[in-house]
Amino acid sequence: MRIEAGRHPILMIPGPSEPYPEALHIASLKIFEHYGSRWLKIYNVFYEYSLKLFGAESGYVIPFPIPASFTMEVILNSLFDKESNILFINDGFFVRRFKDIALRYGLSVHHVVPQSPGHRVDLDEVGLLMDAVDIEAVVVVHSETSQGILEDLDGISNIVKDRAVLIVDSVSSYGALKIDVIRRGIDICIGYSSKALGALNGITPVYISEEIADKLRERKKYKAFLNDLKVWYEYREIWPFHPYPTSLPTHVILSFIKAAENVLDEGLDKVERRHWDISRYVYRRLEEFGLEGYPEPSSRSPTVSVFKLNDVDADDIVDYLIKKYNILIGTSKFAGYNGIRIGHMGYTANYRFVEPVISGVIEYLSNSSEQ
Amino acid sequence: MRIEAGRHPILMIPGPSEPYPEALHIASLKIFEHYGSRWLKIYNVFYEYSLKLFGAESGYVIPFPIPASFTMEVILNSLFDKESNILFINDGFFVRRFKDIALRYGLSVHHVVPQSPGHRVDLDEVGLLMDAVDIEAVVVVHSETSQGILEDLDGISNIVKDRAVLIVDSVSSYGALKIDVIRRGIDICIGYSSKALGALNGITPVYISEEIADKLRERKKYKAFLNDLKVWYEYREIWPFHPYPTSLPTHVILSFIKAAENVLDEGLDKVERRHWDISRYVYRRLEEFGLEGYPEPSSRSPTVSVFKLNDVDADDIVDYLIKKYNILIGTSKFAGYNGIRIGHMGYTANYRFVEPVISGVIEYLSNSSEQ
């Protein structure tokens, strides 16, 4: 089968993202043995970089070679028993998925949603609920790509930390925004390789705090094998020459290192600013033209811009951008409304990449309104 | 961090294997959106090839982007309830791991082991056990890399099929040997991308028969989310534009297609013969020199050769091969005995790759006995 890269569009969907070219290139260099001293030198670089991107000087990273949703399943299965009270913040595709996982494991689900879609939740409501119910954990999706909303991690952590386990999904912010797990008292944080970081899909680093590690150590029984965080944590010590219980895709780890090097060389502060600049620019240009931004301005994620559409079909804009510019953006249809979603994260958080998208959307809408 | 491919050894461990160069190269070509019509054209090629390598014209393939051990966990969790009787065949690292998973899920474990290590089990014993106990499933590792043993799938399937669910781990034979799931009545079979097939790590195709699919459809309740085969099976229909419940590493799928193309173009018959030729050659040359092959001759897997050592330390041979030839082979130390394990699967099942290993082992042993 012939695959011709040039024929296929640049990805400006909210993930997978177009990787940094260096992070894509290195994947074809070499497969390593995923154990032993030669490999562990490379693995330790991955480990150091992944901790840095979480903003952690202490705590642990578990290198899960599984999808991010699966790591949430491992986390919920590992740390809570049936009927534990778990609170989910805001709405969106992944929040609903995580609620669904919790329900399938028999947990008691609580859910605070905003007064209207596109907004953040009322944090006073979170506080009141936590006063009334013995919430064991709060789950937050930092940047929800189905809605384009960025949650207020500072506000949430002020209410939650020291009262419940704070679990953050930073899948589409990891590598682009400062997560600061230590300062914010985040107990568990899920990173990702192939969205904002700009590396290849296949490795999901998960930060766990020392307090969570203590809990895992103290628990006597196992709840599963690879579906139990305790097993992953313990292999750090059981097998020092192979500090994880299964194989790792070494080429994805190389890709992760390369992307993380790009980010750390540029500086996480500057990378974050670049994402904000691009996000504000995309919203300003398309709102000036008359499009309606979906999230209200103060809750917008800088890694993905979302617009509601009224008169035209999102799929038609997507098709136009593919045909004229060979660029792929996303729609909001699976989330239940007619809208477009433009990913600009990692490598593509750059004027060079968003300018043709803006032009194409404006062209299409101008032409369609003239008809 | 600089990674220089040329400095790192060729992998002749029993996995990960040195990929076919084309299957490594294609990984750096392009990341695709893992859904929609453009991607599904590519995915359907993967699907067709993966079924062919299982020897199936019917049944389904689930494209798990998780390690093979984790797919065994999903399978055992999905299909059996507490105290179900599960029979494990023979001994070895992965058999013990799968038993451990079964125990953690509360299954009743039965285990038939051979009279002495390095042999196959007595199939009469399997038959007698199945007459006495209501065994719901039999788990077989087709080619056990920790011991170098190939199981007698024909003999086992003659006893098991139609009486219990037959689950085969073909991780280190998939892509090198004919699995023939239909003819052998195998209900579930775990393939793999980065051992005998010669592609990159990151995708584990699992074959499920129509009978198992029926069982999954009939079961009313869910046992988990991604840790439940029912969920994976159902997404084929729930999301036809994205027929799996989570993201896939598209570059690994491309690599899988490329490696499978190599195998199918050469012909699976010829590929299998190539593995047998190389295996017999390696055993003959090193046994002529005086080394002791670990598995008894009729139970040897053609993808990995294993030798017991008496007077020298396996690690010293490994070091010698790295230094002089820049080739990495494995030891048997984690399996509890002093031995070497030489992987020759997929790309490296070739005289060009095994000749320097044979020469190196003979040189090292000749030198060490002269001292």
Side-chain angles (χ1 to χ4, degrees):
Chain A
M1 178 179 212
R2 284 185 67 177
I3 302 292
E4 289 170 73
R7 287 195 173 189
H8 291 275
I10 289 282
L11 301 182
M12 300 199 65
I13 47 181
S17 298
E18 202 60 36
Y20 287 103
E22 305 87 339
L24 181 58
H25 173 72
I26 202 168
S28 66
L29 202 60
K30 178 75 186 139
I31 290 299
F32 288 84
E33 69 277 19
H34 54 81
Y35 53 79
S37 58
R38 204 170 9 249
W39 167 248
L40 289 179
K41 272 186 208 157
I42 297 173
Y43 177 75
N44 289 338
V45 174
F46 155 78
Y47 195 90
E48 180 198 330
Y49 289 175
S50 60
L51 260 181
K52 268 191 189 162
L53 295 176
F54 282 119
E57 304 85 40
S58 61
Y60 304 89
V61 170
I62 308 295
F64 282 106
I66 63 177
S69 297
F70 214 154
T71 69
M72 182 62 86
E73 183 160 345
V74 176
I75 292 161
L76 293 179
N77 178 49
S78 302
L79 296 178
F80 309 104
D81 295 316
K82 282 196 178 184
E83 293 170 31
S84 296
N85 290 300
I86 314 290
L87 171 58
F88 294 84
I89 302 274
N90 213 330
D91 206 353
F93 177 80
F94 288 102
V95 176
R96 287 177 184 226
R97 164 162 290 195
F98 299 152
K99 264 179 65 179
D100 181 38
I101 293 170
L103 288 168
R104 289 182 190 202
Y105 282 83
L107 308 181
S108 293
V109 163
H110 303 263
H111 194 182
V112 174
V113 295
Q115 292 206 307
S116 59
H119 286 250
R120 289 177 173 167
V121 301
D122 180 348
L123 292 182
D124 290 338
E125 208 181 312
V126 173
L128 285 171
L129 185 78
M130 292 190 73
D131 291 339
V133 180
D134 186 20
I135 297 292
E136 286 190 39
V138 175
V139 177
V140 187
V141 178
H142 188 200
S143 163
E144 205 351 311
T145 53
S146 69
Q147 303 214 72
I149 290 180
L150 188 77
E151 295 301 336
D152 172 13
L153 280 191
D154 283 327
I156 292 168
S157 77
N158 279 339
I159 293 173
V160 174
K161 72 176 175 188
D162 305 326
R163 296 179 68 188
V165 173
L166 180 53
I167 302 172
V168 175
D169 164 333
S170 65
V171 165
S172 76
S173 56
Y174 183 76
L177 308 182
K178 281 181 286 174
I179 312 293
D180 281 345
V181 288
I182 301 290
R183 186 176 61 76
R184 286 171 168 150
I186 295 170
D187 297 293
I188 300 212
C189 192
I190 303 172
Y192 203 63
S193 56
S194 65
K195 293 201 190 227
L197 180 61
L200 298 186
N201 178 307
I203 199 84
T204 305
V206 172
Y207 166 82
I208 63 170
S209 66
E210 295 191 15
E211 290 75 10
I212 295 294
D214 288 344
K215 280 194 183 191
L216 294 170
R217 261 195 303 266
E218 282 159 20
R219 168 154 60 85
K220 291 280 176 290
K221 291 197 173 176
Y222 291 90
K223 292 185 151 193
F225 185 64
L226 296 176
N227 195 25
D228 188 346
L229 199 50
K230 180 176 170 72
V231 172
W232 290 87
Y233 175 70
E234 288 180 346
Y235 266 75
R236 296 167 43 89
E237 281 163 22
I238 295 173
W239 276 5
F241 63 98
H242 186 316
Y244 18 81
T246 186
S247 61
L248 294 186
T250 61
H251 70 288
V252 179
I253 304 253
L254 294 187
S255 171
F256 184 108
I257 288 174
K258 218 45 166 174
E261 251 169 22
N262 280 358
V263 169
L264 296 168
D265 284 354
E266 184 178 348
L268 195 48
D269 276 321
K270 281 192 185 166
V271 169
E272 176 159 341
R273 213 172 309 137
R274 171 158 64 83
H275 282 79
W276 282 113
D277 287 346
I278 290 295
S279 164
R280 289 198 190 100
Y281 181 71
V282 171
Y283 275 113
R284 182 169 63 72
R285 287 283 306 278
L286 289 176
E287 285 181 333
E288 274 174 8
F289 178 73
L291 273 184
E292 181 189 349
Y294 177 84
E296 62 93 22
S298 68
S299 60
R300 290 172 179 173
S301 167
T303 65
V304 51
S305 298
V306 182
F307 298 89
K308 269 195 162 168
L309 297 172
N310 297 311
D311 304 331
V312 294
D313 189 319
D315 287 329
D316 294 336
I317 299 184
V318 171
D319 288 346
Y320 183 82
L321 283 169
I322 289 280
K323 279 187 194 126
K324 176 140 184 198
Y325 294 93
N326 208 19
I327 292 172
L328 184 68
I329 64 168
T331 76
S332 309
K333 292 202 165 175
F334 77 105
Y337 60 96
N338 183 30
I340 53 172
R341 300 183 306 138
I342 303 164
H344 35 70
M345 42 181 113
Y347 181 52
T348 60
N350 190 302
Y351 293 101
R352 175 159 80 85
F353 287 103
V354 297
E355 201 62 71
V357 176
I358 294 167
S359 303
V361 172
I362 290 175
E363 272 167 22
Y364 179 80
L365 293 172
S366 305
N367 293 343
S368 69
S369 66
E370 282 163 14
Q371 284 167 355
Chain B
M1 178 180 212
R2 284 185 67 176
I3 302 292
E4 289 169 74
R7 287 196 174 188
H8 291 274
I10 290 282
L11 301 182
M12 299 198 67
I13 47 180
S17 299
E18 202 60 36
Y20 286 104
E22 305 86 339
L24 180 58
H25 172 72
I26 203 169
S28 65
L29 203 58
K30 178 74 186 140
I31 290 300
F32 287 84
E33 68 277 19
H34 54 81
Y35 53 78
S37 57
R38 204 171 10 249
W39 167 247
L40 289 179
K41 272 186 207 155
I42 297 173
Y43 177 76
N44 288 338
V45 175
F46 155 78
Y47 196 91
E48 180 199 330
Y49 290 176
S50 59
L51 260 181
K52 269 190 189 161
L53 295 176
F54 282 119
E57 305 85 40
S58 61
Y60 303 90
V61 170
I62 309 294
F64 281 106
I66 63 177
S69 298
F70 212 154
T71 70
M72 182 62 86
E73 182 160 347
V74 176
I75 292 161
L76 294 179
N77 178 49
S78 301
L79 295 178
F80 309 104
D81 295 316
K82 283 197 177 186
E83 293 172 29
S84 295
N85 290 300
I86 314 289
L87 170 60
F88 294 84
I89 302 275
N90 213 331
D91 207 353
F93 177 79
F94 288 101
V95 176
R96 286 177 185 226
R97 164 163 290 196
F98 299 152
K99 264 179 63 178
D100 180 37
I101 292 170
L103 289 167
R104 288 182 190 202
Y105 281 83
L107 308 181
S108 292
V109 162
H110 303 263
H111 194 183
V112 174
V113 295
Q115 291 206 307
S116 59
H119 286 251
R120 288 176 173 168
V121 301
D122 180 349
L123 292 182
D124 290 339
E125 207 181 314
V126 173
L128 285 170
L129 185 77
M130 292 190 72
D131 291 339
V133 179
D134 186 20
I135 297 292
E136 287 190 40
V138 175
V139 176
V140 188
V141 178
H142 187 200
S143 164
E144 206 348 313
T145 53
S146 69
Q147 301 214 74
I149 290 180
L150 188 78
E151 295 301 336
D152 172 14
L153 279 191
D154 283 328
I156 292 168
S157 78
N158 279 339
I159 293 174
V160 174
K161 72 175 173 189
D162 306 327
R163 295 179 68 188
V165 174
L166 180 53
I167 302 171
V168 175
D169 163 335
S170 67
V171 165
S172 75
S173 56
Y174 183 76
L177 308 182
K178 282 181 286 175
I179 312 293
D180 281 346
V181 288
I182 301 291
R183 186 175 62 75
R184 286 171 168 149
I186 295 169
D187 297 292
I188 301 212
C189 192
I190 303 172
Y192 202 63
S193 56
S194 65
K195 292 199 190 228
L197 179 61
L200 299 186
N201 179 307
I203 199 83
T204 306
V206 171
Y207 166 82
I208 62 170
S209 67
E210 296 191 16
E211 290 76 8
I212 295 294
D214 288 344
K215 279 194 183 190
L216 294 169
R217 261 195 302 266
E218 282 159 22
R219 167 153 60 83
K220 290 280 176 288
K221 292 197 174 177
Y222 292 90
K223 292 185 152 193
F225 186 64
L226 296 176
N227 196 25
D228 189 346
L229 199 49
K230 181 176 171 69
V231 172
W232 290 87
Y233 175 69
E234 288 181 345
Y235 266 75
R236 296 168 43 89
E237 281 163 22
I238 295 173
W239 276 4
F241 63 98
H242 185 316
Y244 18 82
T246 185
S247 61
L248 293 186
T250 62
H251 70 288
V252 179
I253 304 254
L254 294 187
S255 171
F256 184 108
I257 288 173
K258 218 48 169 172
E261 251 169 21
N262 280 358
V263 168
L264 296 168
D265 284 354
E266 185 177 348
L268 195 47
D269 277 319
K270 280 192 186 166
V271 170
E272 175 158 342
R273 213 172 310 137
R274 171 158 64 82
H275 282 79
W276 282 114
D277 288 346
I278 290 295
S279 164
R280 289 197 191 100
Y281 181 71
V282 171
Y283 274 113
R284 181 169 64 72
R285 286 284 306 279
L286 289 176
E287 286 181 333
E288 275 175 8
F289 178 74
L291 272 184
E292 181 189 349
Y294 176 84
E296 63 93 22
S298 68
S299 60
R300 290 172 179 173
S301 167
T303 65
V304 51
S305 298
V306 182
F307 298 89
K308 269 196 162 169
L309 298 172
N310 296 312
D311 303 331
V312 293
D313 189 318
D315 287 330
D316 293 337
I317 299 185
V318 171
D319 288 345
Y320 184 82
L321 283 169
I322 289 280
K323 278 187 194 126
K324 175 140 185 198
Y325 293 93
N326 208 18
I327 291 172
L328 184 68
I329 65 168
T331 77
S332 309
K333 293 203 164 174
F334 76 106
Y337 60 96
N338 183 29
I340 54 171
R341 300 184 307 138
I342 303 164
H344 34 70
M345 41 181 114
Y347 180 53
T348 60
N350 189 303
Y351 293 101
R352 176 160 79 84
F353 287 103
V354 297
E355 201 62 71
V357 176
I358 294 167
S359 303
V361 171
I362 289 175
E363 272 167 22
Y364 178 80
L365 292 173
S366 304
N367 293 344
S368 70
S369 66
E370 282 163 15
Q371 283 166 354

